[in-house]
C-alpha cells in the first residue's frame, strides 16, 4: 500500500469478504439505525454472523434528522425464541463441547460445504426481516432497491452513501425523461443472484457496477465481479430475451473522494457510448493510464427549496460545535429536514474545519459537499488570505465575516481577489468582530454562540425572532446546569451580537492592493511548489495521477514551507533577564523557539531588532547567544512561557518570555527567523567543548523534527525533537500508527527534516500491532550492513593500510566522540 488513509471507502469491508459473514450496507444515517436492527434480527434467525457497513466519515460523521426506532418496534423485531436458541448454543461447562478443532484432509472439505443451506436461506430471511420492519415502521427496504425509470436502458449498481446521491441524480434525470436507474445493494453477502436479476428492469442494456475500493491486479473490483457473474449466469439461463446487458465496472470515492451528481451523470453518459469504457475511474484525473471519465462540474440536481450554508472555522474556535447545535435546533424543533457534514484538514493542531449545512422541507439525500451556498461564514479572517473561501458562494449569497475591525474598515482589509468575487457574485456582506464581543462578554476566545446568532439573524432559515428565541432555549438546555449566571452571560452575548452585527458597504469596483499569499514561498523545492502547495491551498483534488509518487515515497522537511500563522499571541524574548537555560527550547512541542550561539562575524548584517546576549558558557567566551521564535509556526500554546524560570525582580509579571499579539510581530519575525536560520549550527563533534548531556547544551543542537501538526501543547513531540537533536542525522524511525503517524506523517507537509548536509531521519509507518517487528527488521538490516562493512574493511586492509583498518574496526562507537 502506498499510504494509510483513515477516510471512507469499502477497502476494509472488502477485505472481510472471505470471512463468510453476511454483509448489509447502509447508505444514510436513517438506514444505519434501521439496518442495524434488520441485521440483528437476520443473524439470529440465519445463524450467520452479520457485518453491517456504512461509509466512514461520510455517513458516520453526518448529522441528519431521522425517525428514531421505538423500543417496542425493536422488541417486535427480535424473536425471543431465537435469542434462547442462540444462547443454548453457547459454550458452557453444563453442556461441554469443542469448537475450532484442527481438521485433516479427510473431512475438512466436506465440513466446509455443510454450511451451504444456511447461506442459501439468508436472502429470504433478510427480506422477511425487512418486510416485518416495513410493517412496523413504514420504511420498506429490499435486498436490492431499484430507483429510476421503469423502462431504464442504463443502470448503475452501487452501495453505501453514494447510493443516496445516485438516487437524487436518477430521480432528476428520470424527471427529464432519461431512461436511467440505479440499484442500491443492501445485502451484499451472500450475493443473491436471483433477486438481483429480478430487480433489473427488463429493458436494461448497459450496467455500470461502481466500487468504492481498488483491488490491484484483480479482473475487476468485487461488486463488478459479482454483477458480471450474475449477468453471465442469467445469460446462461436464457433470462434475457433481448440479449444480456453489457456490464462495465468503475471505481469512485476512494478515501472519501467526492462523489457528486455530476459524476453519476458522467457514468450514465459513458454507458450511452457504443463501447463504454470498462474499469474506469470517476472523480479524479488519471493522465497515466487514462482510466478517468470527464464530468461537468456545473451539473446540479439540488432543489431550490434547500438552504445551503458553508462555515469556515478553526478546530479550536467552536465553529463545528455551534453548527452541530444549529442542525439540532432546526432539526428537532421545526418541521424542516436538516443535514450537517464537517470537513477537517489533516492537522491535529489548529485544524481548519469546513461545515456544510443543508435545511429544507423534503428529506435531504445529498451525500456530497455543497457547491452552491446561499450563506457563507468565514470565522477566521486570515482564511481570506489563504483559501478560496468564496468559491462555493452562489450569485447573491450572504457572506458573514468575523473581522478584527469595525464594519466600515472591513472592505479595505480584504484581498483584491476576494473583493472582485464579492462584486462579481453580488454577495451581501456582513461583519462582526466576534473576538471583541466575546472578550467584552467575558466568553474568552469562544465565538461559537456569537457566530451562530449571526447565522440565525441573517440566513432566513427561520424568522429572526423565532430563531433567537430558539437559540436562547438551546442555551438554557446547554448551560442550565452551570447556573443562571452562565446562562445570562450567553443571553447577553446573543443580544450584544445583534447589536454589533453590521452590513459592509460594497463599492462598485475592487480597490484593494492586498493579494492572497501564495501557499508556499517561491524558494520552495519543485515538488513542494508543484504538488504540496496545491494540497495546502485545498486544491489537492485537482492533482492528476502523474503528479503523485508511485510508491508512496515523499520528501521530508516540508513543514517549514507551510506557514500556518495559527497563534493569536507568540512569545517575545527579554535577553536582559534570560539565563539561557534552554528549558523553553526543550519544551516547545513544535521546535518553534530555538537557540544558537554565534560569533560577531556571523552576526554582521543582522536585521534591525535581532536580539542577542553574551553567551553564558565558560567554553563560549566572546560568543553571542540568541533565542528566536518562528512566529508563523508557533501554535501559541505558551508552554515555553510557563516553563521559563525567570522573572524580572522589579516587575514580577515580566518573565524572560512573555506572550504578545502575533500580527504586529509577523513581518519582523519572518525576517529575524530567516537570518537566524542561516547562522551556523552547533555541531556535536565541533570544537566548542560542550557535552550534550544537559539541556543547557542540547538546546544549541539543531532539531530535525519541526513545526509538526501535533496539538498545541503536545507532550510527546518534545521528546522526538530531542531525539533528533542528538541522533537525527543517523536515525531511522519505525513509527507505529497512531497520533505520531498523523502529526509525523500526514500530508500535505511532514515535520521530519534534514540538516544542511541533507541528512536526517528516514521514516516509515506500520500498523500498531506489528511495529516491534517492523523496527526489528530495520535494526537487523542496519546491523547486517555494519557487519558487512567490517568484512570489507578487513578485506581492504592491504589497500587502506593496517593502521586505518584497525582504527576503523576498533573504534569505540558507544558514544558521540567514538
Ligand atoms: S508558544 Fe508553544 S509553540 Fe509557541 S514557541 Fe512557545 S512552546 Fe513553542
Ligand atoms: S526558559 Fe526563560 S530563561 Fe530559560 S532560555 Fe528560555 S527564556 Fe531564557
Amino acid at each position: 500500500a502506498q499510504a494509510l488513509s483513515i477516510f471512507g471507502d469499502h477497502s476494509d469491508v472488502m477485505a472481510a469478504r472471505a470471512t463468510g459473514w453476511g454483509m448489509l450496507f447502509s447508505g444514510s444515517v436513517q438506514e444505519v439505525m434501521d439496518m442495524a436492527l434488520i441485521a440483528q434480527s437476520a443473524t439470529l434467525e440465519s445463524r450467520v454472523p452479520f457485518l453491517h457497513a456504512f461509509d466512514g466519515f461520510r455517513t458516520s460523521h453526518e448529522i441528519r434528522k431521522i425517525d428514531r426506532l421505538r423500543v417496542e418496534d425493536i422488541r417486535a423485531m427480535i424473536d425471543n425464541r431465537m435469542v434462547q436458541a442462540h444462547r443454548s448454543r453457547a459454550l458452557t461447562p453444563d453442556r461441554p463441547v469443542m469448537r475450532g478443532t484442527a481438521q485433516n484432509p479427510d473431512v475438512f472439505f466436506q465440513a466446509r460445504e455443510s454450511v451451504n443451506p444456511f447461506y442459501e436461506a439468508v436472502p429470504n430471511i433478510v427480506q422477511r426481516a425487512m418486510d416485518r420492519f416495513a410493517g412496523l415502521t413504514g420504511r420498506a427496504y429490499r435486498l436490492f432497491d431499484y430507483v429510476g425509470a421503469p423502462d431504464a436502458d442504463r443502470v448503475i449498481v452501487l452501495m453505501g452513501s453514494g447510493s443516496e446521491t445516485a438516487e437524487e441524480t436518477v430521480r432528476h434525470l428520470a424527471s427529464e425523461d432519461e431512461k436511467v436507474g440505479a440499484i442500491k445493494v443492501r445485502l451484499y453477502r451472500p450475493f443473491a443472484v436471483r433477486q438481483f436479476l429480478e430487480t433489473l428492469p427488463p429493458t436494461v442494456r448497459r450496467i455500470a457496477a461502481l466500487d468504492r475500493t481498488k483491488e490491484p491486479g484483480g479482473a475487476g473490483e468485487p461488486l463488478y465481479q459479482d454483477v458480471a457473474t450474475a449477468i453471465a449466469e442469467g445469460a446462461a439461463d436464457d433470462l434475457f430475451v433481448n440479449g444480456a446487458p453489457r456490464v462495465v465496472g468503475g471505481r469512485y470515492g476512494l478515501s472519501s473522494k467526492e462523489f457528486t451528481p455530476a459524476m453519476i451523470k458522467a457514468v450514465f453518459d459513458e454507458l450511452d457510448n457504443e463501447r463504454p469504457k470498462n474499469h474506469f475511474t470517476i472523480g479524479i484525473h488519471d493522465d497515466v493510464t487514462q482510466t478517468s471519465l470527464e464530468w461537468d462540474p456545473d451539473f446540479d440536481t439540488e432543489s431550490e427549496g434547500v438552504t445551503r450554508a458553508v462555515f469556515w472555522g478553526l478546530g479550536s474556535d467552536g465553529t463545528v460545535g455551534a453548527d452541530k447545535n444549529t442542525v439540532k435546533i432546526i432539526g428537532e424543533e421545526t418541521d424542516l429536514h436538516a443535514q450537517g457534514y464537517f470537513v477537517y484538514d489533516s492537522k491535529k493542531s489548529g485544524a481548519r474545519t469546513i461545515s456544510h449545512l443543508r435545511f429544507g422541507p423534503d428529506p435531504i439525500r445529498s451525500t456530497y459537499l455543497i457547491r452552491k451556498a446561499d450563506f457563507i461564514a468565514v470565522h477566521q479572517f486570515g482564511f481570506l488570505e489563504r483559501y478560496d473561501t468564496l468559491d462555493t458562494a452562489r450569485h447573491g449569497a450572504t457572506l458573514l465575516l468575523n473581522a478584527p475591525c469595525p464594519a466600515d474598515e472591513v472592505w479595505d482589509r480584504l484581498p483584491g481577489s476576494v473583493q472582485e468575487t464579492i462584486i462579481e457574485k453580488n454577495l451581501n456582506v456582513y461583519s462582526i468582530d466576534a473576538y471583541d464581543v466575546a472578550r467584552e462578554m467575558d466568553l474568552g476566545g469562544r465565538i461559537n454562540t456569537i457566530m451562530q446568532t449571526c447565522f440565525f439573524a441573517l440566513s432566513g432559515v427561520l424568522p429572526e425572532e423565532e430563531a433567537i428565541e430558539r437559540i436562547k432555549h438551546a442555551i438554557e438546555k446547554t448551560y442550565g446546569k452551570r447556573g443562571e449566571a452562565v446562562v445570562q452571560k450567553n443571553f447577553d452575548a446573543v443580544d450584544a451580537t445583534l447589536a454589533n452585527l453590521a452590513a459592509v458597504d460594497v463599492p462598485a469596483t475592487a480597490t484593494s492592493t492586498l493579494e492572497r499569499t501564495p501557499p508556499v514561498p517561491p524558494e520552495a523545492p519543485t515538488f513542494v511548489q508543484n504538488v504540496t502547495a496545491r494540497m495546502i491551498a485545498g486544491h489537492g483534488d485537482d492533482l492528476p495521477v502523474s503528479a503523485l509518487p508511485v510508491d508512496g515515497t515523499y520528501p521530508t522537511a516540508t513543514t517549514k514551507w507551510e506557514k500556518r500563522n495559527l497563534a493569536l499571541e507568540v512569545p517575545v524574548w527579554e535577553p536582559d533577564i534570560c539565563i539561557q537555560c534552554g528549558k523553553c527550547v526543550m519544551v516547545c512541542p513544535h521546535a518553534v523557539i530555538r537557540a544558537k550561539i554565534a560569533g560577531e562575524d556571523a552576526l554582521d548584517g543582522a536585521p534591525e531588532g535581532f536580539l542577542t546576549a553574551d553567551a553564558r558558557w565558560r567554553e563560549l567566551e566572546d560568543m553571542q547567544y540568541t533565542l528566536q521564535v518562528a512566529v508563523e509556526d508557533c501554535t501559541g500554546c505558551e508552554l515555553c512561557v510557563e516553563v521559563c524560570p525567570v522573572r524580572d525582580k522589579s516587575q514580577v509579571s515580566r518573565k524572560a518570555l512573555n506572550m504578545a499579539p502575533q500580527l504586529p510581530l509577523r513581518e519582523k519575525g519572518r525576517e529575524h527567523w530567516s537570518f537566524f536560520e542561516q547562522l551556523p549550527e552547533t555541531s556535536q563533534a565541533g570544537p566548542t567543548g560542550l557535552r550534550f548531556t544537559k539541556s543547557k547544551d542540547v538546546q544549541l543542537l539543531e532539531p530535525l523534527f519541526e513545526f509538526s501538526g501535533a496539538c498545541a501543547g503536545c507532550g510527546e513531540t518534545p521528546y522526538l525533537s530531542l531525539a533528533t537533536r542528538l541522533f537525527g542525522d543517523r536515525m531511522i524511525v519505525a513509527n507505529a500508527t497512531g497520533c505520531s503517524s498523523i502529526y509525523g506523517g500526514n500530508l500535505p507537509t511532514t515535520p521530519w527534516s534534514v540538516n544542511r548536509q541533507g541528512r536526517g531521519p528516514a521514516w516509515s509507518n506500520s500498523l500498531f500491532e506489528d511495529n516491534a517487528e517492523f523496527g526489528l527488521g530495520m535494526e537487523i538490516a542496519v546491523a547486517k550492513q555494519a557487519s558487512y562493512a567490517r568484512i570489507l574493511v578487513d578485506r581492504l586492509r592491504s589497500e587502506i593500510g593496517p593502521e586505518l583498518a584497525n582504527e576503523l574496526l576498533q573504534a569505540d562507537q558507544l558514544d558521540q566522540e567514538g
Side-chain angles (χ1 to χ4, degrees):
Q2 53 96 18
L4 168 143
S5 165
I6 59 166
F7 292 94
D9 60 38
H10 301 165
S11 316
D12 43 7
V13 176
M14 292 307 168
R17 271 180 302 150
T19 58
W21 285 41
M23 291 186 181
L24 262 179
F25 267 79
S26 289
S28 69
V29 182
Q30 179 70 62
E31 288 170 16
V32 169
M33 177 171 259
D34 297 352
M35 292 298 161
L37 182 54
I38 290 165
Q40 186 64 44
S41 176
T43 194
L44 283 169
E45 187 175 345
S46 65
R47 295 184 60 186
V48 171
F50 265 70
L51 188 152
H52 167 214
F54 50 91
D55 288 355
F57 276 83
R58 181 65 242 184
T59 310
S60 63
H61 284 50
E62 184 176 316
I63 299 184
R64 211 195 279 195
K65 184 168 180 167
I66 62 165
D67 286 328
R68 203 155 43 175
L69 287 173
R70 299 179 311 162
V71 174
E72 50 270 37
D73 293 340
I74 297 174
R75 289 228 168 88
M77 285 291 291
I78 303 297
D79 185 336
N80 274 339
R81 288 167 309 168
M82 304 284 178
V83 176
Q84 288 308 326
H86 179 68
R87 286 185 182 155
S88 72
R89 293 188 293 269
L91 284 178
T92 164
D94 294 341
R95 302 180 299 279
V97 291
M98 293 177 74
R99 290 205 181 106
T101 52
Q103 298 180 356
N104 302 320
D106 55 348
V107 297
F108 179 88
F109 193 171
Q110 302 92 299
R112 203 74 195 82
E113 297 297 323
S114 69
V115 299
N116 295 351
F118 290 82
Y119 284 89
E120 282 166 10
V122 166
N124 285 340
I125 290 172
V126 173
Q127 188 57 62
R128 280 202 303 273
M130 287 175 163
D131 294 346
R132 275 203 314 283
F133 184 88
L136 293 164
T137 65
R139 291 192 292 281
Y141 299 106
R142 302 201 58 74
L143 305 184
F144 301 97
D145 267 321
Y146 178 76
V147 287
D151 55 349
D153 57 6
R154 287 160 291 153
V155 168
I156 61 172
V157 184
L158 75 175
M159 49 201 182
S161 64
S163 54
E164 289 282 283
T165 301
E167 178 166 351
E168 180 182 302
T169 314
V170 161
R171 287 189 192 284
H172 177 90
L173 292 172
S175 74
E176 294 179 342
D177 288 336
E178 291 253 23
K179 303 291 180 211
V180 295
I183 290 183
K184 301 172 168 192
V185 178
R186 308 265 188 225
L187 181 68
Y188 177 58
R189 282 289 179 270
F191 195 88
V193 170
R194 181 177 60 79
Q195 287 88 339
F196 174 77
L197 294 173
E198 284 169 3
T199 311
L200 278 173
T203 43
V204 65
R205 56 182 183 87
R206 298 282 166 84
I207 298 174
L210 300 184
D211 275 276
R212 199 164 199 157
T213 188
K214 178 172 174 65
E215 204 157 290
E221 274 61 41
L223 183 59
Y224 164 74
Q225 295 206 38
D226 290 320
V227 171
T229 303
I231 296 299
E233 289 185 2
D237 289 344
D238 296 325
L239 291 184
F240 303 106
V241 279
N242 299 322
R246 183 184 195 117
V247 183
V248 296
R251 295 181 290 280
Y252 75 100
L254 267 68
S255 183
S256 288
K257 175 72 78 190
E258 271 289 270
F259 184 54
T260 64
M263 295 170 194
I264 292 165
K265 169 136 188 336
V267 174
F268 282 125
D269 291 347
E270 183 66 24
L271 287 181
D272 232 359
N273 289 338
E274 200 186 325
R275 294 187 68 81
K277 196 181 257 188
N278 200 354
H279 310 297
F280 62 80
T281 55
I282 181 74
I284 57 168
H285 175 40
D286 176 6
D287 55 344
V288 175
T289 47
Q290 323 300 335
T291 60
S292 49
L293 305 182
E294 298 288 322
W295 71 97
D296 170 12
D298 291 329
F299 177 77
D300 190 19
T301 53
E302 287 210 64
S303 73
E304 282 302 310
V306 178
T307 301
R308 292 174 280 269
V310 173
F311 301 78
W312 291 71
L314 260 190
S316 51
D317 70 6
T319 297
V320 168
D323 292 338
K324 285 182 176 171
N325 194 253
T326 299
V327 173
K328 229 171 130 187
I329 291 174
I330 296 175
E332 283 182 0
E333 302 196 15
T334 75
D335 290 336
L336 292 174
H337 287 267
Q339 179 204 47
Y341 185 66
F342 308 91
V343 179
Y344 305 88
D345 76 10
S346 49
K347 300 294 182 211
K348 294 181 79 71
S349 71
R352 183 191 68 204
T353 61
I354 311 174
S355 311
H356 295 251
L357 270 52
R358 288 180 172 97
F359 306 100
D362 301 316
I364 296 163
R365 296 195 179 281
S366 312
T367 47
Y368 51 91
L369 302 179
I370 290 170
R371 297 195 49 80
K372 288 182 185 155
D374 307 287
F375 180 94
I376 292 200
V378 182
H379 291 191
Q380 299 293 328
F381 200 71
F383 284 179
L384 294 164
E385 272 177 34
R386 286 156 58 196
Y387 305 117
D388 199 355
T389 50
L390 308 186
D391 185 35
T392 54
R394 70 156 174 78
H395 194 84
T398 298
L399 171 64
L400 168 66
L401 301 174
N402 171 20
C405 59
D408 56 1
E409 290 175 22
V410 167
W411 183 255
D412 290 334
R413 294 221 195 176
L414 297 175
S417 55
V418 173
Q419 290 185 341
E420 279 162 21
T421 307
I422 289 173
I423 294 166
E424 190 189 305
K425 293 192 173 183
N426 195 22
L427 303 184
N428 303 301
V429 187
Y430 293 83
S431 83
I432 185 164
D433 187 343
Y435 283 111
D436 193 49
V437 175
R439 256 189 310 272
E440 286 205 356
M441 293 292 114
D442 199 18
L443 293 173
R446 302 290 289 178
I447 57 169
N448 49 346
T449 304
I450 297 161
M451 299 310 290
Q452 187 185 21
T453 305
C454 293
F455 167 73
F456 274 111
L458 296 172
S459 66
V461 177
L462 296 176
E464 184 178 333
E465 216 167 292
E466 182 191 337
I468 300 307
E469 196 184 306
R470 289 191 191 282
I471 289 186
K472 290 194 171 174
H473 182 57
I475 287 171
E476 266 173 343
K477 269 174 54 182
T478 312
Y479 299 110
K481 278 196 193 131
R482 289 163 61 183
E484 217 173 285
V486 179
V487 172
Q488 191 54 48
K489 196 156 72 175
N490 280 277
F491 280 5
D492 293 346
V494 170
D495 297 335
T497 299
L498 297 173
N500 281 278
L501 178 62
V504 174
D505 286 335
V506 177
T509 51
T511 49
S512 177
T513 51
L514 300 172
E515 258 327 314
R516 283 232 297 273
T517 39
V520 299
E523 63 272 21
T526 312
F527 184 85
V528 173
Q529 293 284 355
N530 294 344
V531 179
T532 314
R534 304 282 297 279
M535 291 189 252
I536 293 173
H539 299 307
D541 282 325
D542 301 335
L543 285 168
V545 171
S546 64
L548 299 167
V550 294
D551 60 355
T553 303
Y554 282 77
T556 58
T558 45
T559 43
K560 66 191 284 191
W561 304 113
E562 185 182 19
K563 297 301 173 198
R564 296 194 293 148
N565 287 298
L566 285 179
L568 292 177
E569 295 195 326
V570 294
V572 174
W573 182 45
E574 305 291 348
D576 57 322
I577 53 172
C578 170
I579 57 168
Q580 302 175 10
C581 66
K583 288 187 173 169
C584 54
V585 176
M586 302 303 286
V587 83
C588 176
H590 303 277
V592 157
I593 187 163
R594 292 192 203 167
K596 278 187 184 176
I597 42 158
E600 293 292 347
D601 289 358
L603 290 166
D604 258 4
E608 190 202 332
F610 188 87
L611 298 176
T612 63
D614 291 341
R616 295 181 176 220
W617 275 263
R618 239 180 300 132
E619 304 90 336
L620 301 173
E621 243 179 297
D622 302 330
M623 298 290 270
Q624 289 289 298
Y625 172 87
T626 185
L627 189 71
Q628 295 295 324
V629 176
V631 294
E632 296 190 288
D633 301 293
C634 176
T635 62
C637 71
E638 296 192 34
L639 284 188
C640 52
V641 176
E642 269 179 46
V643 81
C644 177
V646 181
R647 282 184 192 277
D648 185 344
K649 289 196 180 65
S650 59
Q651 188 192 341
V652 287
S653 62
R654 177 177 176 251
K655 298 183 94 172
L657 284 173
N658 305 284
M659 298 302 279
Q662 192 248 27
L663 201 55
L665 297 168
R666 197 184 288 176
E667 275 309 313
K668 266 281 162 213
R670 196 181 289 150
E671 203 186 331
H672 290 174
W673 186 258
S674 146
F675 182 77
F676 175 79
E677 275 195 306
Q678 57 78 47
L679 289 175
E681 298 289 350
T682 300
S683 156
Q684 289 195 59
T688 55
L690 300 176
R691 286 186 65 83
F692 298 97
T693 48
K694 52 185 194 289
S695 54
K696 168 139 177 147
D697 291 0
V698 172
Q699 68 168 312
L700 301 175
L701 296 174
E702 182 183 19
L704 297 177
F705 180 87
E706 60 181 7
F707 316 142
S708 79
C711 303
C714 176
E716 202 169 272
T717 47
Y719 292 98
L720 295 180
S721 174
L722 171 62
T724 64
R725 284 174 203 272
L726 294 168
F727 315 113
D729 60 346
R730 58 232 126 105
M731 190 166 166
I732 303 178
V733 182
N735 202 128
T737 292
C739 229
S740 55
S741 64
I742 301 303
Y743 64 62
N746 204 348
L747 296 186
T749 58
T750 54
W752 300 93
S753 76
V754 292
N755 64 17
R756 280 175 207 190
Q757 291 73 47
R759 294 184 62 86
W763 183 95
S764 191
N765 182 45
S766 80
L767 291 177
F768 193 79
E769 301 85 341
D770 70 356
N771 195 251
E773 293 83 349
F774 187 60
L776 181 65
M778 293 177 179
E779 205 278 330
I780 289 170
V782 170
K784 184 72 196 163
Q785 284 169 1
S787 79
Y788 188 52
R790 298 176 78 84
I791 292 169
L792 290 180
V793 169
D794 205 34
R795 270 192 212 155
L796 290 170
R797 189 174 281 276
S798 59
E799 284 173 55
I800 61 175
E803 203 175 317
L804 177 56
N806 285 344
E807 273 179 26
L808 286 170
L809 292 173
Q810 286 157 20
D812 170 14
Q813 295 188 30
L814 287 178
D815 62 16
Q816 183 62 36
E817 282 70 32

